[in-house]
Amino acid sequence: MAVSWRDIKTQLTGLDADTLISLIHDLYALNKENKVFLQGKVGGKGAYAGLLEDGIKKIIHEFFPERGFGKARIAPVKKIISGYKKATGDPIGIADLTLVFIEQIVKYCSTYGGMEESKYSSLSVAMNDLFTILKTCPAIIDVLNIEDRLIKAHADASNCGYGVEDEISELIDDIADLG
């Protein structure tokens, strides 16, 4: 029988500080996701920069590793973005990671040709996610130089097909309407 969160919570409330710290340390050491989460939650804004830089490198590596061909897997990229979001809640970093994903998948498509339909769908979702973030915090547009970066992605999208170029144009127009 599985133990419920209520049972766990009851047990945790009875633990002393040293035991709780030891338990959190064990969770921290258990896997990379826990480590990133705790660094973001406890490390504050100082930790965000390192987590963001690491996330950007991992996304780029997924599409364009230093050696060989990229795997262009969407699930690890989504995991990077959602992990950063859960750990920090930082809308600028979330927008940056999302935009890096958009840039890299468009560049990948332009470099290697067409992709599976699911990748195009993920690209559309990412563009919608980016716009949602920008609607709530339009100052990010200038902070991350988003319009210029999307214009470059638009140029890269000319060989992608599936309406990617048009979709990026629409996103650029929608963002321009925010400002």
Side-chain angles (χ1 to χ4, degrees):
M1 184 170 108
V3 178
S4 71
W5 171 245
R6 176 183 279 173
D7 295 334
I8 292 171
K9 186 176 174 184
T10 301
Q11 292 296 318
L12 290 174
T13 56
L15 298 178
D16 63 82
D18 289 339
T19 305
L20 278 173
I21 289 171
S22 178
L23 177 62
I24 292 168
H25 176 265
D26 291 345
L27 288 171
Y28 180 85
L30 183 64
N31 63 43
K32 182 96 171 142
E33 291 173 7
N34 290 350
K35 186 177 282 193
V36 168
F37 179 80
L38 286 168
Q39 286 172 345
K41 286 293 185 186
V42 179
K45 294 197 185 285
Y48 293 5
L51 294 174
L52 180 61
E53 183 180 327
D54 186 51
I56 288 171
K57 285 180 186 176
K58 286 179 180 177
I59 292 171
I60 292 170
H61 184 267
E62 186 62 39
F63 293 92
F64 296 98
E66 290 180 23
R67 301 171 79 191
F69 296 101
K71 295 178 182 170
R73 297 171 301 169
I74 302 303
V77 173
K78 288 170 126 179
K79 194 172 184 180
I80 291 165
I81 295 169
S82 69
Y84 182 87
K85 182 178 183 177
K86 288 176 189 173
T88 68
D90 170 34
I92 296 172
I94 298 164
D96 200 7
L97 289 170
T98 305
L99 185 53
V100 168
F101 168 58
I102 292 166
E103 292 166 331
Q104 295 308 304
I105 196 168
V106 168
K107 184 177 170 187
Y108 184 88
C109 177
S110 178
T111 302
Y112 298 114
M115 303 179 292
E116 305 92 55
E117 192 171 329
S118 63
K119 286 184 174 42
Y120 290 109
S121 296
S122 295
L123 176 59
S124 293
V125 169
M127 286 192 265
N128 287 332
D129 290 348
L130 178 62
F131 187 65
T132 299
I133 295 166
L134 298 177
K135 283 192 300 191
T136 61
C137 191
I140 296 173
I141 297 167
D142 292 330
V143 170
L144 295 178
N145 201 18
I146 287 182
E147 288 180 283
D148 290 341
R149 290 170 67 183
L150 284 173
I151 289 169
K152 167 93 173 72
H154 180 265
D156 288 343
S158 63
N159 297 324
C160 287
Y162 276 88
V164 171
E165 194 173 12
D166 294 336
E167 200 168 347
I168 294 173
S169 287
E170 289 174 22
L171 179 58
I172 291 169
D173 291 344
D174 290 344
I175 290 170
D177 290 344
L178 292 176

